[in-house]
Amino acid sequence: MALALRWLRPLPSLLHRSSFLLTRGVPGAPTGSPALLLEGCRQCGRQMLLSRQLATKKAKGKGQSQAKVNISAALVEDIINLEETSEDMQAVVEALKEDFSRNISVRTSPGALDHITVMTKDGKFPLNQLGQISQKSPQLIVVNMSNFPESTAAAMKAIRESGMNLNPEVDGTMIRVPVPKVTREHRENLAKLAKQSTNKSKEALRKVRSKSISQVKKSKSKVSEDTIWLLEKQIQQMADEAVAEMDKLLAAKTKELLG
């Protein structure tokens, strides 16, 4: 015990000298080194925050399949605009909602035909820009093509191939569209169409995600691998949340169609 105390006795003075050296600088070091060190710390402040987030997420993620990442958009605004990425992804979800509401319904309405795309010799046009669409009875929709009679055949083909189980008939420049009965087969066809629309939306979402990740990777020479990893994980997380929302929309629409 006495021997141990003898060895520990010089320790306070050594600690004091170490503190003095850190404060005044090491002999031979350039003048102003502490100031340069302080400035360097300020410059890497953002990286320290991101690294701390990374360490926290990894610690919390031990024993878990996924760890939630939530980077402040302000910290990485010179790398990528996360808010814009989120808005682009949400726009894809909203477009799917609109498609479900407008085009995939048990009851066919005139509005369901509005945005059927017609291929003409002058290009692609929505059907409602080429013809006047009206409902003559609950069982019949009529498309008046008198303003663009040359596109009547193309419009009829587009209606038939719309996936809405419609069989139009031509009478001069008038296209008569019988509204199909709500059969089990018709409901199942609509459910398949909803699934196809969802898959197309997911593909559009993957393009948004890939574009954002590519933008992040361009900054590899300027930021750390940890920062890149965090950003890629957050972008993927945002995409997963959008996919989950799409799956809920599809489940609700399928239930509506099939009961």
Side-chain angles (χ1 to χ4, degrees), residues 50 53 57 67-73 75 82 230 233-234 237:
L50 289 170
Q53 284 184 318
K57 304 311 172 186
K68 186 77 170 179
V69 178
N70 188 19
I71 302 173
S72 171
L75 288 175
L82 287 176
L230 273 172
K233 188 172 180 64
Q234 175 139 339
Q237 182 176 286

Side-chain angles (χ1 to χ4, degrees), residues 113-234:
L113 275 61
D114 284 351
H115 297 281
I116 290 177
T117 302
V118 181
M119 176 66 77
T120 72
K121 63 180 181 178
D122 296 319
K124 297 179 180 180
F125 297 93
L127 179 60
N128 63 353
Q129 290 186 11
L130 301 175
Q132 297 176 344
I133 305 171
S134 60
Q135 188 154 10
K136 295 299 183 181
S137 72
Q139 290 77 38
L140 181 65
I141 295 175
V142 174
V143 183
N144 186 343
M145 297 293 296
S146 57
N147 289 335
F148 297 92
E150 69 280 5
S151 299
T152 302
M156 186 180 70
K157 180 181 178 183
I159 295 170
R160 182 178 290 117
E161 295 177 355
S162 65
M164 299 173 64
N165 192 34
L166 301 174
N167 294 299
E169 302 167 354
V170 176
D171 182 8
T173 58
M174 303 291 286
I175 301 177
R176 299 165 60 86
V177 186
V179 177
K181 293 181 180 180
V182 184
T183 62
R184 182 68 183 181
E185 181 183 4
H186 180 52
R187 290 174 179 272
E188 290 174 351
N189 287 336
L190 288 174
K192 290 178 182 178
L193 187 61
K195 178 67 173 178
Q196 292 172 4
S197 296
T198 304
N199 288 338
K200 288 180 181 178
S201 295
K202 287 181 178 180
E203 179 60 31
L205 183 69
R206 282 192 287 270
K207 290 180 180 179
V208 174
R209 183 207 59 181
S210 298
K211 179 182 177 182
S212 299
I213 289 179
S214 296
Q215 183 177 344
V216 168
K217 287 182 176 179
K218 290 179 181 179
S219 300
K220 276 188 173 181
S221 61
K222 298 186 294 183
V223 297
S224 71
E225 291 183 3
D226 284 352
T227 302
I228 298 296
W229 183 88
L230 273 172
L231 284 169
E232 289 181 357
K233 188 172 180 64
Q234 175 139 339

Side-chain angles (χ1 to χ4, degrees), residues 34-49:
L36 291 174
L37 178 61
L38 180 59
E39 180 62 25
C41 288
R42 286 172 177 166
Q43 292 177 357
C44 69
R46 180 179 67 179
Q47 182 56 44
M48 290 174 65
L49 286 172

